[in-house]
Amino acid sequence: MLGNYSSATKFFLLGFPGTKELHHILFATFLLLYSVTVLGNMLIIIVVHADKRLQSPMYFFLGHLSVLEILITSVAVPYMLQGLLRQTQIISLSACCVQLYLYLSLGSSELILLGVMAVDRYVAVCNPLRYNVIMSSYTCTWMVTVSWVVGFLFQIWPVYATFQLTFCKTNLLDHFYCDLGQLFKLSCENTLFTELILFLMAVFIIVGSMILTIISYTYIISTILKIPSASGRRKAFSTCASHFTYVVIGYGSCLFLYVKPKQTQAAEYNRVVSLLVLVVEPFLNPFIFTLQNDKFIEAFRDGVKRSCQLLKH
């Protein structure tokens, strides 16, 4: 317990419970997942940038999604891996503030981008003849810029309000990164109003983006069902299947983690859902968007062939 008028200037992250052997197993598992995540998403960025056949809005947005995935997982996972080896992990108040801000901002930008990608799929399926006109390079750049800027501006007040609190109960943070709910637990002030405002803001950003996605997919499904041939319906749905799968995973985990009136819930629950957001989602992204994408696979194969030819010469 800290003194009545003192606030923590650093936190001890408790990380994962268990033995040293379990921590080593977790370290190896998460290191593998993190490595595959970074390499897989980097591969998407390089192939999309290098191949002219992938210079379309869908792949432009996918490239930015991959950048976000690398950044989101890199905000917390390297620090988590370090903690698994050291057993005890110390983070300063300022580093905790930066980590929380980056995590929330990047997450918000990703949610907005998912909504933008849903609109892109809506235009591609429901208005294909005007797709290139509506989704021009200017429009795509503007939409991506808005996603990044709004995400980072939106989280300034929540992080500022959180670190105006006095953390005098203890400096033991029962998580593997600076989690908002666990920080509220450490405050000796009444956080109910702050938590309510943050809940409403989470509803706005998550549910707002989700409504945009739901409306887009309602029109998409309605249009697909009107296509007379089964092969035509399959082809139309295949253009949206990857995004739809990722949307279900992404929005589902975010709703479980953030859209709740009481942020200070069980640490074990928070850890599991946080792992979904920080480790599992970014890891799945390259597989969801590329394994069934013949155009991307062809571009990747051609890129490998060109690289091999260059090495031979």
Side-chain angles (χ1 to χ4, degrees):
M1 177 74 77
L2 300 171
N4 289 337
Y5 300 100
S6 65
S7 183
T9 56
K10 61 183 178 182
F11 298 106
F12 290 86
L13 300 176
L14 299 181
F16 297 90
T19 62
K20 196 172 183 179
E21 289 73 21
L22 175 62
H23 283 189
H24 287 161
I25 293 169
L26 289 174
F27 174 83
T29 304
F30 291 141
L31 179 61
L32 175 63
L33 292 175
Y34 178 66
S35 301
V36 172
T37 297
V38 173
L39 290 172
N41 283 287
M42 277 296 294
L43 182 66
I44 289 176
I45 296 164
I46 292 166
V47 174
V48 167
H49 182 73
D51 199 291
K52 289 182 179 179
R53 287 168 295 181
L54 304 182
Q55 303 301 307
S56 67
M58 184 178 80
Y59 294 103
F60 175 70
F61 295 136
L62 178 57
H64 278 270
L65 181 65
S66 293
V67 171
L68 282 166
E69 294 292 27
I70 292 171
L71 293 175
I72 286 170
T73 194
S74 297
V75 163
V77 173
Y79 216 79
M80 176 183 75
L81 293 172
Q82 199 178 44
L84 285 168
L85 286 182
R86 288 184 178 179
Q87 303 297 312
T88 56
Q89 186 75 339
I90 300 172
I91 186 168
S92 67
L93 187 67
S94 57
C96 184
C97 178
V98 171
Q99 186 186 60
L100 181 63
Y101 175 67
L102 289 175
Y103 171 61
L104 293 176
S105 299
L106 291 165
S108 298
S109 295
E110 182 177 320
L111 287 169
I112 297 167
L113 185 61
L114 286 176
V116 166
M117 291 173 77
V119 172
D120 171 65
R121 293 299 82 207
Y122 157 73
V123 178
V125 173
C126 302
N127 208 341
L129 297 178
R130 298 194 62 218
Y131 179 70
N132 290 329
V133 176
I134 296 170
M135 301 303 293
S136 64
S137 58
Y138 172 80
T139 303
C140 293
T141 303
W142 180 80
M143 291 169 90
V144 163
T145 302
V146 168
S147 300
W148 282 89
V149 172
V150 171
F152 275 78
L153 290 178
F154 196 79
Q155 295 300 338
I156 291 173
W157 187 86
V159 175
Y160 173 78
T162 300
F163 285 92
Q164 288 303 298
L165 300 171
T166 305
F167 305 107
C168 59
K169 287 184 178 177
T170 179
N171 59 354
L172 298 177
L173 199 66
D174 195 6
H175 216 298
F176 58 82
Y177 77 103
C178 282
D179 174 65
L180 197 59
Q182 296 306 309
L183 284 168
F184 284 136
K185 275 188 175 182
L186 306 188
S187 176
C188 49
E189 301 171 35
N190 187 345
T191 62
L192 190 61
F193 177 74
T194 306
E195 288 187 57
L196 177 62
I197 297 299
L198 296 188
F199 165 70
L200 294 174
M201 291 181 76
V203 168
F204 179 80
I205 201 81
I206 298 173
V207 177
S209 173
M210 187 187 296
I211 288 170
L212 188 64
T213 303
I214 290 169
I215 292 170
S216 297
Y217 272 101
T218 301
Y219 282 105
I220 287 169
I221 292 167
S222 175
T223 302
I224 289 173
L225 291 175
K226 291 174 184 175
I227 297 172
S229 66
S231 60
R233 286 195 295 271
R234 278 196 299 271
K235 187 179 178 181
F237 187 73
S238 67
T239 64
C240 312
S242 298
H243 177 260
F244 183 77
T245 303
Y246 192 81
V247 157
V248 171
I249 298 169
Y251 285 132
S253 54
C254 283
L255 282 171
F256 278 117
L257 190 57
Y258 293 114
V259 183
K260 54 189 186 296
K262 191 67 176 173
Q263 291 281 347
T264 53
Q265 60 187 36
E268 199 59 44
Y269 174 89
N270 258 10
R271 260 193 293 268
V272 172
V273 184
S274 294
L275 283 173
L276 276 176
V277 175
L278 285 163
V279 179
V280 178
E281 274 183 54
F283 170 76
L284 290 176
N285 179 55
F287 299 101
I288 291 172
F289 282 100
T290 62
L291 284 182
Q292 299 296 321
N293 192 320
D294 295 334
K295 197 174 179 180
F296 182 90
I297 292 169
E298 187 182 338
F300 172 66
R301 283 175 181 165
D302 290 348
V304 171
K305 285 177 185 176
R306 284 196 300 270
S307 300
C308 291
Q309 287 169 359
L310 286 170
L311 288 172
K312 284 178 183 178
H313 294 300

